[in-house]
């Protein structure tokens, strides 16, 4: 498994908060499933925070069901990205997932509902283009800069692992 560390410009040099999150990669016919927050015009790989007694796989599967309505099997954790920002250490665990069933039912948090969260299938090329534009946020929105940089790394590594060529 690959590990990447990203240190954001706003990192204070110490950690007061630690969060583990799991994110699921589903690629089908050259398209990747993404979450989209319509109120902020923001894309993200679906997933979220690990709860108390969950394994990383269970976290990924629960988050994917809640955010995408899809029952998935988390196959393998191919990447960990450690982000250091503000006083946070945020470790994202990325899993390749197989879809078992699309229930069509979402269980979004209030924050996700307010953000207008929905799922979209985008071509790998378009997703890599969107996330690869992270420098556009560097001076204006440090949070989106870090988010898009992280997702660009995760999606590029997924393509590399799956030997998907012609999109990087």
């Amino acid at each position: 498994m690959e590990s990447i560390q990203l240190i954001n410009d706003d990192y204070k040099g110490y950690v007061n908060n630690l969060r583990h999150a799991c994110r699921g990669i589903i690629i089908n016919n050259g398209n990747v499933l993404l979450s989209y927050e319509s109120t902020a015009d923001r894309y993200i790989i679906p997933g979220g925070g690990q709860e108390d007694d969950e394994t990383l796989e269970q976290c990924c599967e629960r988050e994917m069901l809640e955010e995408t309505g899809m029952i998935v099997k988390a196959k393998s954790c191919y990447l960990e990205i450690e982000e250091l920002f503000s006083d946070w250490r945020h470790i994202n665990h990325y899993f390749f997932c197989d879809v078992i069933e699309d229930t069509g039912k979402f269980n979004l948090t209030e924050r996700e509902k307010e953000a207008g969260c929905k799922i979209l299938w985008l071509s790998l090329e378009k997703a890599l283009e969107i996330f690869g534009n992270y420098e556009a946020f560097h001076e204006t929105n440090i949070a989106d800069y870090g988010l898009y940089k992280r997702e660009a790394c995760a999606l590029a590594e997924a393509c590399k692992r799956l030997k998907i060529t012609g999109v990087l």
Side-chain angles (χ1 to χ4, degrees), residues 47-67:
Q50 185 181 27
E51 294 181 355
D52 298 329
D53 295 334
E54 285 182 318
T55 66
L56 295 174
E57 291 83 359
Q58 289 168 334
C59 173
C60 182
E61 292 168 359
R62 176 186 52 78
E63 285 287 344
M64 293 298 286
L65 179 60
E66 289 174 0
E67 292 185 11

Side-chain angles (χ1 to χ4, degrees), residues 5 8 21 28 47 52 55 62 71-72 78 94 103 111 116-117 119 124-126 128 132 165:
Q5 183 183 63
N8 223 353
N28 188 11
D52 298 329
T55 66
R62 176 186 52 78
I71 298 170
V72 303
Y78 73 93
Y94 288 83
T103 69
R111 191 209 66 79
C117 284
I119 58 171
L124 284 167
E125 293 88 357
K126 183 66 176 170
L128 286 163
T165 58

Side-chain angles (χ1 to χ4, degrees), residues 13 43 52 85 105 108 155 166:
Y43 296 86
D52 298 329
F85 57 93
K105 299 175 186 169
L108 301 175
L155 200 51

Side-chain angles (χ1 to χ4, degrees), residues 107-162:
N107 187 18
L108 301 175
T109 65
E110 284 305 313
R111 191 209 66 79
E112 290 164 340
K113 289 176 188 173
E114 290 170 9
C117 284
K118 59 184 179 178
I119 58 171
L120 297 173
W121 288 95
L122 291 182
S123 71
L124 284 167
E125 293 88 357
K126 183 66 176 170
L128 286 163
E129 176 188 324
I130 289 167
F131 292 136
N133 193 32
Y134 59 86
E135 279 297 337
F137 299 102
H138 199 168
E139 299 300 323
T140 59
N141 187 330
I142 197 69
D144 283 354
Y145 164 78
L147 167 71
Y148 275 38
K149 185 175 183 180
R150 179 190 80 208
E151 304 299 49
C153 291
L155 200 51
E157 183 65 22
C159 290
K160 186 171 103 178
R161 295 286 175 128
L162 295 172

Side-chain angles (χ1 to χ4, degrees), residues 76-107:
S76 62
C77 184
Y78 73 93
L79 176 65
E80 287 182 354
I81 297 180
E82 174 189 32
E83 292 179 281
L84 298 169
F85 57 93
S86 183
D87 63 346
W88 279 84
R89 179 177 181 224
H90 192 184
I91 303 172
N92 284 276
H93 308 268
Y94 288 83
F95 287 84
F96 290 119
C97 295
D98 284 336
V99 177
I100 307 299
E101 178 185 350
D102 184 352
T103 69
K105 299 175 186 169
F106 301 86
N107 187 18

